[in-house]
Amino acid sequence: TCGHALGGRWWSHFESWLYARRAAATRKGKKSSSIANADADPVTPDPELARHDPDLHRKLTASGMSEYDAKGVGMALQRATAAALAQIRRESASAASLDKKKVKLAEFAVGGGGGGGDVEDDTAPQHKKVKLTCGKVSVEVNSAHLQRLRVAFERFAPVVHRHRDDAFRRAAFACLARYSSQQGAHYKAGGMQASLPAPMFDALREHFGVAMELCASPLNARYRRFCSGHVDVDECFGSFGDCLKFEPDAGSFEVNPPFDPTFMAAVCGHMERLLANASGAMSFAVIVPRRPEDASWSKLTNSRYAVKRIDFEAGAHAYVPGGQHVRSARATPSAAATTLVLLQNEAGRGRWPATREAVDALRAGFASGLKKSLDDEDEDVDDDGAYLDGSGESDVTDDDGFGGVKGRGDGGGRVNGGAVVGSRWDFDDVRRLFWGAGSAGRWGK
């Protein structure tokens, strides 16, 4: 409907539009996009809400489109969304249950062999990908991330399914298909699911006791338990479900929500209520874009529980892309400024103070992606499938770091990017060429 007006990165605008229209359902009192509501589709927005998105309208008119044509785009999106929902209903009514379908698995090498020069061992997990196929639909995932899903499935899935390969394949396919769909199904999408570099998580855990993310997915979660937006496909991998329904009474958490103002405002209100009712020390490290013009940003930074605000300038910090499970997990410099706000109750301030040392560690952790190429070649895998960093310690522990929550499991795997500092570009390494030839400024001449 409007990709031609938005330029080559239309897929990024499409992903933002999907998130914004789903979030608007809650604000407007429409059918919630939460999968807890059986009448709402977890991916496709309500057609009535699809008709007008203020941010998309602004982008279209800024590109030179007339007001009349921009409104026509909204009407076209409304029709397309209604048609998609109708198709979903038809196919859901006639299709066999996924439980009765077989999901085929095929592993293949990425960029291996026949490239000339000294090519590294093809058996390295990060250089293998897997295709999962159900009917006519296929999804791909890096072998390392699929192994991480398997480890989590064997811990959190129903006992009768934990060691059934067919059950795992169906669960993995459903999870991958869901996240691909909610991002717009473009292979470059995933900006709304970007995560922090591993050293940033390490700093948050060391200085603020963070042991859980409130806005993550089975594909990018740092810790074994997390909250996510799709509990129907995520629960068997360790998710507690919607963060807005998560009710801890103590603990320290990282919150890196999708950068949609409506959702960010809802999360801020939820955190303030939890802090007001907490029975013990509670802390939230909230990472959002620095947008002083947004009401959600002002609400967060001016919260009565805000004890520290740290601003990170554009280009001075990096995120790991949301598509890390299908592409490289290399951190990418942020093109926009970011704000970290520390929300704490009185007990939290005493237990996890925002000292100068802690703030410096956070700045160094967020900037680590600028200096390091997340190269999985240096990773090791322990016998349990958890990925270890160079220290030999897994970044998942038995201590979830929060209280007041029942049903905690006992483990999970995590791909933790090992780093190669200052490595030169190797034109004989076919894999490096496949995973993306960065600029000379990034890789060296």
Side-chain angles (χ1 to χ4, degrees), residues 93-424:
S94 61
S97 168
L98 181 62
D99 291 337
K100 299 178 182 179
K101 290 187 175 183
K102 289 185 177 180
V103 175
K104 300 177 181 178
L105 185 152
E107 189 175 36
F108 59 96
V110 173
D118 297 328
V119 178
E120 298 162 318
D121 181 8
D122 257 350
T123 62
Q126 69 276 11
H127 296 314
K128 293 280 190 176
K129 294 186 77 172
V130 174
K131 177 183 288 188
L132 297 172
T133 303
C134 182
K136 297 181 180 180
V137 179
S138 295
V139 291
E140 293 183 2
V141 61
N142 294 331
S143 291
H145 282 77
L146 187 67
Q147 172 65 8
R148 188 172 108 189
L149 289 178
R150 187 182 293 276
V151 170
F153 186 81
E154 291 176 354
R155 287 191 172 102
F156 300 116
V159 176
V160 295
H161 293 154
R162 289 183 181 179
H163 300 289
R164 286 180 49 191
D165 190 60
D166 59 334
F168 167 70
R169 291 186 184 189
R170 286 195 296 269
F173 175 87
C175 179
L176 290 163
R178 173 67 59 81
Y179 280 94
S180 174
S181 298
Q182 77 153 9
Q183 295 170 4
H186 193 281
Y187 75 99
K188 288 185 178 181
M192 289 292 199
Q193 285 285 327
S195 62
L196 307 179
M200 179 65 162
F201 278 113
D202 293 341
L204 286 169
R205 185 173 183 87
E206 179 181 354
H207 295 279
F208 296 100
V210 171
M212 182 175 171
E213 296 171 81
L214 296 194
C215 298
S217 79
L219 302 169
N220 69 7
R222 172 73 170 186
Y223 308 110
R224 63 175 58 135
R225 302 312 300 266
F226 53 92
C227 289
S228 64
H230 303 289
V231 70
D232 61 334
V233 296
D234 295 347
E235 186 176 23
C236 60
F237 299 111
S239 173
F240 279 120
D242 188 350
C243 69
L244 298 178
K245 298 178 181 179
F246 182 59
E247 299 285 341
D249 57 19
S252 183
F253 310 92
E254 183 265 0
V255 188
N256 181 21
F259 296 158
D260 174 74
T262 301
F263 184 74
M264 289 191 292
V267 171
C268 181
H270 182 63
M271 290 185 295
E272 289 184 327
R273 185 177 62 80
L274 292 176
L275 286 162
N277 298 326
S279 61
M282 181 172 282
S283 175
F284 297 95
V286 191
I287 295 93
V288 295
R290 191 175 71 191
R291 296 172 181 168
E293 69 278 8
D294 283 356
S296 60
W297 188 89
S298 297
K299 179 180 180 180
L300 175 66
T301 55
N302 294 317
S303 170
R304 65 191 181 100
Y305 295 103
V307 299
K308 186 67 177 179
R309 169 184 152 190
I310 309 171
D311 289 324
F312 302 87
E313 297 301 325
H317 61 294
Y319 287 95
V320 179
Q324 60 174 280
H325 58 285
V326 291
R327 303 195 302 275
S328 170
R330 183 177 64 246
T332 301
S334 176
T338 295
T339 297
L340 185 151
V341 179
L342 200 63
L343 302 181
Q344 296 177 326
N345 60 6
E346 186 174 352
R349 289 194 294 273
R351 184 172 178 181
W352 302 293
T355 63
R356 179 180 293 276
E357 178 187 3
V359 172
D360 289 344
L362 293 179
R363 288 193 180 280
F366 219 166
S368 63
L370 304 176
K371 308 184 186 84
K372 300 178 181 180
S373 165
L374 298 186
D375 190 335
D376 293 337
E377 295 167 351
D378 287 354
E379 287 182 352
D380 297 312
V381 184
D382 67 8
D383 292 336
D384 197 27
Y387 285 78
L388 309 179
D389 60 20
S391 66
E393 296 182 358
S394 174
D395 58 356
V396 291
T397 70
D398 289 329
D399 177 16
D400 286 326
F402 60 93
V405 180
K406 297 180 179 180
R408 285 179 283 175
D410 60 354
R414 166 65 187 169
V415 178
N416 182 18
V420 178
V421 183
S423 56
R424 288 185 173 276

